[in-house]
Amino acid sequence: EPEVTQTPSHQVTQMGQEVILRCVPISNHLYFYWYRQILGQKVEFLVSFYNNEISEKSEIFDDQFSVERPDGSNFTLKIRSTKLEDSAMYFCASSKTRDTQYFGPGTRLTVL
Amino acid sequence: SQQGEEDPQALSIQEGENATMNCSYKTSINNLQWYRQNSGRGLVHLILIRSNEREKHSGRLRVTLDTSKKSSSLLITASRAADTASYFCATDGPNDMRFGAGTRLTVKP
C-alpha cells in the first residue's frame, strides 16, 4: 500500500541554522500539507499546497517558513534561522481529494 | 477556529470494555475525521463522516455526528491493549483541517 515518507526521521540543528525537511507524498495525490506537533501538544496545521502554490497557511507559517515542490515527487518544508521553539515533530500529509489525508511518520526536529 | 476539541483528555479502561471519546467543534464543517496516533508516530486515518451523515461504522469503530450540537463521538468496542493511543478529531472547513488536542486512551490488559 502506498504511503507518505519523510526524511530525515530526526534532525538536530543549532539555533539560527536553516533546515529542510523532506516528504514524498503518495504519487497520485494532488494536495499536500505540513503540520507540526510540539511534544505533548496538539497537531497544528502549517500550510496546504495545491497546483504548485500555497492554498492556505496558518498564523504559524510566517516568513521563516517556506514550502516547495522541486520536482514531481518531493515536497519540502524549509525553516530558516531556526529557534528553540521550532523543536517539534513535523508531519507531512497528502490527499487525493480534500478529504482523507494520509500522514507520514514525521521528522523530529531538535533545535539546540 | 474550526478545530475540534476532544473530551475526555485521558481515558483508562480494561481490555474488553468499550471506549467513548467525544469531540466538539465551533463552526460549520464539510466533514469530520478521526485519527489515531501511537506515541511518537504519525497519524493514522480511522474514519471520515460527512456533514450529511449521522452515523458510520468501521469494524469495531462507530462514529456519530450531530451537526446541530456540533459534536461527534468515537466508540471503540471490545477494546484491546493495542488500541492504546491518542485519538484526534479533525474538522474540515473550506480550506484546511484543524485538529483537537486529543484523547489519550489507555487499555489495560
Side-chain angles (χ1 to χ4, degrees), chain B residues 33-62:
Chain B
Q33 302 182 55
W34 284 90
Y35 285 79
R36 164 198 167 121
Q37 184 183 34
N38 286 52
S39 183
R41 307 288 295 274
L43 287 92
V44 175
H45 181 260
L46 296 176
I47 198 164
L48 178 152
I49 186 164
R50 300 193 185 282
S51 59
N52 61 353
E53 297 176 309
R54 292 296 167 259
E55 187 170 314
K56 204 161 184 179
H57 297 253
S58 177
R60 293 185 295 114
L61 306 180
R62 173 177 167 252

Short mmCIF file of all heavy atoms in Angstrom, two decimals, chain B residues 33-62:
data_model
loop_
_atom_site.label_atom_id
_atom_site.label_comp_id
_atom_site.label_asym_id
_atom_site.label_seq_id
_atom_site.Cartn_x
_atom_site.Cartn_y
_atom_site.Cartn_z
N GLN B 33 -13.22 13.99 10.77
CA GLN B 33 -12.43 12.77 10.68
C GLN B 33 -11.83 12.44 12.05
O GLN B 33 -11.57 13.34 12.85
CB GLN B 33 -11.31 12.96 9.66
CG GLN B 33 -11.84 13.32 8.27
CD GLN B 33 -10.76 13.46 7.24
OE1 GLN B 33 -9.98 12.54 7.03
NE2 GLN B 33 -10.72 14.60 6.57
N TRP B 34 -11.63 11.17 12.28
CA TRP B 34 -10.94 10.71 13.46
C TRP B 34 -9.63 10.06 13.04
O TRP B 34 -9.58 9.30 12.09
CB TRP B 34 -11.80 9.71 14.23
CG TRP B 34 -12.92 10.36 15.00
CD1 TRP B 34 -14.20 10.61 14.56
CD2 TRP B 34 -12.86 10.85 16.35
NE1 TRP B 34 -14.93 11.22 15.55
CE2 TRP B 34 -14.14 11.37 16.66
CE3 TRP B 34 -11.87 10.89 17.34
CZ2 TRP B 34 -14.44 11.94 17.90
CZ3 TRP B 34 -12.17 11.44 18.56
CH2 TRP B 34 -13.45 11.95 18.84
N TYR B 35 -8.59 10.40 13.80
CA TYR B 35 -7.27 9.87 13.57
C TYR B 35 -6.75 9.26 14.87
O TYR B 35 -7.14 9.65 15.97
CB TYR B 35 -6.29 10.96 13.12
CG TYR B 35 -6.46 11.43 11.70
CD1 TYR B 35 -7.45 12.34 11.36
CD2 TYR B 35 -5.61 10.97 10.70
CE1 TYR B 35 -7.60 12.78 10.06
CE2 TYR B 35 -5.75 11.41 9.39
CZ TYR B 35 -6.75 12.31 9.08
OH TYR B 35 -6.90 12.74 7.78
N ARG B 36 -5.82 8.38 14.70
CA ARG B 36 -5.16 7.75 15.83
C ARG B 36 -3.67 8.01 15.72
O ARG B 36 -3.10 8.04 14.62
CB ARG B 36 -5.45 6.25 15.76
CG ARG B 36 -4.58 5.36 16.59
CD ARG B 36 -4.68 3.93 16.10
NE ARG B 36 -3.64 3.15 16.69
CZ ARG B 36 -3.87 2.08 17.44
NH1 ARG B 36 -5.09 1.66 17.66
NH2 ARG B 36 -2.85 1.43 17.95
N GLN B 37 -3.02 8.19 16.88
CA GLN B 37 -1.58 8.41 16.89
C GLN B 37 -0.97 7.58 18.01
O GLN B 37 -1.29 7.80 19.19
CB GLN B 37 -1.24 9.89 17.08
CG GLN B 37 0.26 10.17 17.00
CD GLN B 37 0.59 11.63 17.26
OE1 GLN B 37 -0.05 12.31 18.04
NE2 GLN B 37 1.63 12.13 16.58
N ASN B 38 -0.12 6.67 17.64
CA ASN B 38 0.67 5.97 18.64
C ASN B 38 1.82 6.89 19.05
O ASN B 38 2.26 7.73 18.27
CB ASN B 38 1.21 4.66 18.08
CG ASN B 38 0.12 3.62 17.99
OD1 ASN B 38 -0.93 3.88 17.43
ND2 ASN B 38 0.35 2.46 18.57
N SER B 39 2.29 6.70 20.25
CA SER B 39 3.26 7.62 20.83
C SER B 39 4.44 7.86 19.91
O SER B 39 5.12 6.93 19.49
CB SER B 39 3.75 7.06 22.17
OG SER B 39 4.64 7.94 22.78
N GLY B 40 4.68 9.13 19.57
CA GLY B 40 5.84 9.49 18.75
C GLY B 40 5.74 9.11 17.30
O GLY B 40 6.73 9.21 16.57
N ARG B 41 4.57 8.68 16.87
CA ARG B 41 4.42 8.25 15.48
C ARG B 41 3.48 9.19 14.74
O ARG B 41 2.95 10.14 15.27
CB ARG B 41 3.85 6.82 15.46
CG ARG B 41 4.61 5.82 16.30
CD ARG B 41 5.95 5.47 15.68
NE ARG B 41 5.80 4.79 14.42
CZ ARG B 41 5.63 3.49 14.28
NH1 ARG B 41 5.56 2.72 15.35
NH2 ARG B 41 5.53 2.93 13.09
N GLY B 42 3.30 8.90 13.43
CA GLY B 42 2.39 9.69 12.62
C GLY B 42 0.94 9.38 12.90
O GLY B 42 0.62 8.47 13.65
N LEU B 43 0.08 10.15 12.28
CA LEU B 43 -1.35 9.94 12.47
C LEU B 43 -1.89 8.96 11.45
O LEU B 43 -1.53 9.02 10.27
CB LEU B 43 -2.09 11.27 12.34
CG LEU B 43 -1.90 12.23 13.51
CD1 LEU B 43 -0.74 13.15 13.25
CD2 LEU B 43 -3.17 13.03 13.75
N VAL B 44 -2.77 8.12 11.90
CA VAL B 44 -3.40 7.13 11.02
C VAL B 44 -4.87 7.45 10.92
O VAL B 44 -5.56 7.59 11.93
CB VAL B 44 -3.19 5.70 11.57
CG1 VAL B 44 -3.95 4.70 10.71
CG2 VAL B 44 -1.71 5.37 11.62
N HIS B 45 -5.33 7.58 9.69
CA HIS B 45 -6.74 7.90 9.47
C HIS B 45 -7.62 6.72 9.85
O HIS B 45 -7.36 5.58 9.46
CB HIS B 45 -6.96 8.26 8.01
CG HIS B 45 -8.37 8.62 7.70
ND1 HIS B 45 -9.27 7.75 7.11
CD2 HIS B 45 -9.05 9.77 7.92
CE1 HIS B 45 -10.42 8.34 6.97
NE2 HIS B 45 -10.32 9.56 7.44
N LEU B 46 -8.66 6.97 10.64
CA LEU B 46 -9.58 5.92 11.06
C LEU B 46 -10.87 5.95 10.28
O LEU B 46 -11.30 4.94 9.73
CB LEU B 46 -9.88 6.05 12.55
CG LEU B 46 -8.71 5.86 13.51
CD1 LEU B 46 -9.17 6.13 14.95
CD2 LEU B 46 -8.13 4.47 13.39
N ILE B 47 -11.50 7.11 10.26
CA ILE B 47 -12.84 7.16 9.68
C ILE B 47 -13.20 8.61 9.37
O ILE B 47 -12.78 9.53 10.07
CB ILE B 47 -13.86 6.51 10.65
CG1 ILE B 47 -15.15 6.15 9.94
CG2 ILE B 47 -14.08 7.36 11.87
CD1 ILE B 47 -16.01 5.18 10.74
N LEU B 48 -13.96 8.79 8.32
CA LEU B 48 -14.47 10.10 7.92
C LEU B 48 -15.98 10.05 7.92
O LEU B 48 -16.57 9.09 7.41
CB LEU B 48 -13.94 10.46 6.52
CG LEU B 48 -14.38 11.79 5.89
CD1 LEU B 48 -13.30 12.28 4.92
CD2 LEU B 48 -15.70 11.66 5.15
N ILE B 49 -16.59 11.06 8.48
CA ILE B 49 -18.04 11.16 8.44
C ILE B 49 -18.40 12.52 7.85
O ILE B 49 -17.85 13.54 8.24
CB ILE B 49 -18.67 10.93 9.83
CG1 ILE B 49 -20.20 10.89 9.73
CG2 ILE B 49 -18.20 11.95 10.85
CD1 ILE B 49 -20.88 10.29 10.97
N ARG B 50 -19.29 12.51 6.89
CA ARG B 50 -19.64 13.73 6.20
C ARG B 50 -20.75 14.46 6.97
O ARG B 50 -21.48 13.87 7.76
CB ARG B 50 -20.09 13.44 4.77
CG ARG B 50 -19.00 12.78 3.96
CD ARG B 50 -19.29 12.74 2.48
NE ARG B 50 -18.26 12.00 1.76
CZ ARG B 50 -17.06 12.49 1.47
NH1 ARG B 50 -16.75 13.72 1.80
NH2 ARG B 50 -16.18 11.75 0.83
N SER B 51 -20.89 15.72 6.67
CA SER B 51 -21.82 16.54 7.43
C SER B 51 -23.28 16.10 7.25
O SER B 51 -24.12 16.40 8.10
CB SER B 51 -21.67 18.02 7.04
OG SER B 51 -21.91 18.18 5.66
N ASN B 52 -23.57 15.36 6.19
CA ASN B 52 -24.95 14.90 5.99
C ASN B 52 -25.16 13.47 6.50
O ASN B 52 -26.23 12.89 6.29
CB ASN B 52 -25.35 14.98 4.51
CG ASN B 52 -24.47 14.11 3.63
OD1 ASN B 52 -23.49 13.54 4.09
ND2 ASN B 52 -24.83 14.01 2.36
N GLU B 53 -24.16 12.93 7.16
CA GLU B 53 -24.27 11.59 7.75
C GLU B 53 -24.43 11.71 9.25
O GLU B 53 -23.89 12.65 9.87
CB GLU B 53 -23.03 10.75 7.42
CG GLU B 53 -22.87 10.48 5.93
CD GLU B 53 -21.59 9.73 5.61
OE1 GLU B 53 -20.50 10.17 6.07
OE2 GLU B 53 -21.67 8.71 4.90
N ARG B 54 -25.08 10.76 9.85
CA ARG B 54 -25.30 10.79 11.30
C ARG B 54 -24.50 9.70 12.03
O ARG B 54 -24.17 9.86 13.20
CB ARG B 54 -26.79 10.62 11.61
CG ARG B 54 -27.61 11.81 11.16
CD ARG B 54 -27.22 13.06 11.92
NE ARG B 54 -27.76 14.27 11.31
CZ ARG B 54 -27.04 15.07 10.54
NH1 ARG B 54 -25.77 14.82 10.28
NH2 ARG B 54 -27.59 16.16 10.02
N GLU B 55 -24.23 8.62 11.34
CA GLU B 55 -23.53 7.52 11.99
C GLU B 55 -22.77 6.74 10.92
O GLU B 55 -23.21 6.61 9.78
CB GLU B 55 -24.54 6.60 12.68
CG GLU B 55 -23.93 5.51 13.53
CD GLU B 55 -24.97 4.79 14.37
OE1 GLU B 55 -25.81 5.47 14.99
OE2 GLU B 55 -24.93 3.56 14.40
N LYS B 56 -21.61 6.22 11.36
CA LYS B 56 -20.81 5.43 10.44
C LYS B 56 -20.06 4.36 11.23
O LYS B 56 -19.65 4.60 12.37
CB LYS B 56 -19.81 6.32 9.71
CG LYS B 56 -19.35 5.78 8.38
CD LYS B 56 -18.77 6.90 7.55
CE LYS B 56 -18.38 6.37 6.18
NZ LYS B 56 -17.83 7.44 5.34
N HIS B 57 -19.90 3.19 10.62
CA HIS B 57 -19.23 2.08 11.28
C HIS B 57 -18.02 1.65 10.46
O HIS B 57 -18.03 1.70 9.23
CB HIS B 57 -20.18 0.89 11.43
CG HIS B 57 -21.36 1.17 12.28
ND1 HIS B 57 -21.51 0.64 13.54
CD2 HIS B 57 -22.47 1.93 12.08
CE1 HIS B 57 -22.66 1.05 14.06
NE2 HIS B 57 -23.25 1.83 13.19
N SER B 58 -17.01 1.21 11.17
CA SER B 58 -15.87 0.60 10.51
C SER B 58 -15.25 -0.39 11.48
O SER B 58 -14.57 0.00 12.43
CB SER B 58 -14.84 1.65 10.10
OG SER B 58 -13.70 1.04 9.52
N GLY B 59 -15.52 -1.66 11.28
CA GLY B 59 -15.02 -2.68 12.20
C GLY B 59 -15.53 -2.44 13.62
O GLY B 59 -16.74 -2.36 13.85
N ARG B 60 -14.63 -2.27 14.56
CA ARG B 60 -15.01 -2.04 15.96
C ARG B 60 -15.24 -0.55 16.25
O ARG B 60 -15.47 -0.19 17.41
CB ARG B 60 -13.92 -2.57 16.89
CG ARG B 60 -13.78 -4.10 16.87
CD ARG B 60 -12.76 -4.59 17.90
NE ARG B 60 -11.41 -4.13 17.59
CZ ARG B 60 -10.73 -3.27 18.35
NH1 ARG B 60 -11.24 -2.78 19.44
NH2 ARG B 60 -9.50 -2.91 17.99
N LEU B 61 -15.17 0.28 15.23
CA LEU B 61 -15.36 1.71 15.41
C LEU B 61 -16.76 2.13 15.00
O LEU B 61 -17.30 1.67 14.00
CB LEU B 61 -14.35 2.49 14.56
CG LEU B 61 -12.89 2.16 14.72
CD1 LEU B 61 -12.06 3.03 13.80
CD2 LEU B 61 -12.44 2.34 16.16
N ARG B 62 -17.32 3.01 15.83
CA ARG B 62 -18.60 3.61 15.48
C ARG B 62 -18.49 5.10 15.73
O ARG B 62 -18.13 5.52 16.82
CB ARG B 62 -19.72 3.01 16.32
CG ARG B 62 -21.07 3.71 16.14
CD ARG B 62 -22.16 3.00 16.94
NE ARG B 62 -23.36 3.82 17.04
CZ ARG B 62 -23.77 4.44 18.15
NH1 ARG B 62 -23.07 4.33 19.27
NH2 ARG B 62 -24.87 5.16 18.14
#
